[in-house]
Amino acid sequence: MRCEPYQLLPLVQPPGSVALAEDQAGVLVGQAGSDFQMQTINGMQYANLPMMIMKKGDRVRWYLVTIGFGFNFHTPHWHGNVILNDGKRTDVVALSPAQMVTTDMVPDDPGIWLFHCHVSDHMDGGMIARYQVLK
Ligand SMILES: [Cu+2]
């Protein structure tokens, strides 16, 4: 089964076509009073990051880091599989601004799964990717 990437939302426009300005918190927002914010994973939005592919039973190491402006707390979350983080088996971790987390996964559930930030505004802003576990 193959899943197509999410459709780009109308808010997403070619780079350079959106006028940006800093709000009071120093966050870059679209002008014209919108709450436009670009939230990315490795610079890509809305599941357009190239598919991250692994095999069932692989030892996968995830390097997570936050870089950016303003409110930069994130909660990366994996659908379908769990990670081992600080001795805890979980499917979500918390990242503070400029923090790095290294965590390990041995995927046991094949398929195409979402990997996204669980902060609602960040999901809305495009902080969504996919990964694939092959049998
Ligand atoms: Cu986030």
Side-chain angles (χ1 to χ4, degrees):
M1 185 171 112
R2 179 174 159 77
C3 296
E4 294 303 319
Y6 284 73
Q7 294 293 313
L8 293 178
L9 297 178
L11 281 174
V12 179
Q13 301 172 11
S17 67
V18 177
L20 299 175
E22 285 191 12
D23 69 8
Q24 293 173 338
V27 176
L28 285 176
V29 296
Q31 288 186 331
S34 76
D35 58 355
F36 175 84
Q37 289 191 28
M38 282 183 37
Q39 303 290 342
T40 68
I41 297 175
N42 286 357
M44 303 294 281
Q45 296 178 285
Y46 302 109
N48 285 295
L49 184 73
M51 184 72 76
M52 297 176 279
I53 299 173
M54 59 205 72
K55 290 186 214 155
K56 179 179 176 181
D58 278 351
R59 296 174 63 198
V60 180
R61 178 152 287 165
W62 294 79
Y63 298 95
L64 310 166
V65 60
T66 62
I67 300 171
F69 299 98
F71 183 86
N72 212 13
F73 293 90
H74 302 284
T75 50
H77 164 66
W78 294 261
H79 285 216
N81 292 276
V82 294
I83 55 167
L84 188 59
N85 188 57
D86 257 348
K88 298 178 292 268
R89 202 158 297 283
T90 182
D91 62 2
V92 65
V93 297
L95 278 176
S96 301
Q99 184 185 12
M100 294 182 280
V101 169
T102 301
T103 191
D104 294 315
M105 170 190 282
V106 179
D108 63 0
D109 202 351
I112 295 176
W113 300 103
L114 286 179
F115 170 63
H116 65 89
C117 181
H118 233 292
V119 175
S120 297
D121 288 348
H122 297 175
M123 282 189 282
D124 292 347
M127 198 171 253
I128 302 167
R130 299 173 303 155
Y131 72 98
Q132 182 174 21
V133 179
L134 303 173
K135 291 182 182 177

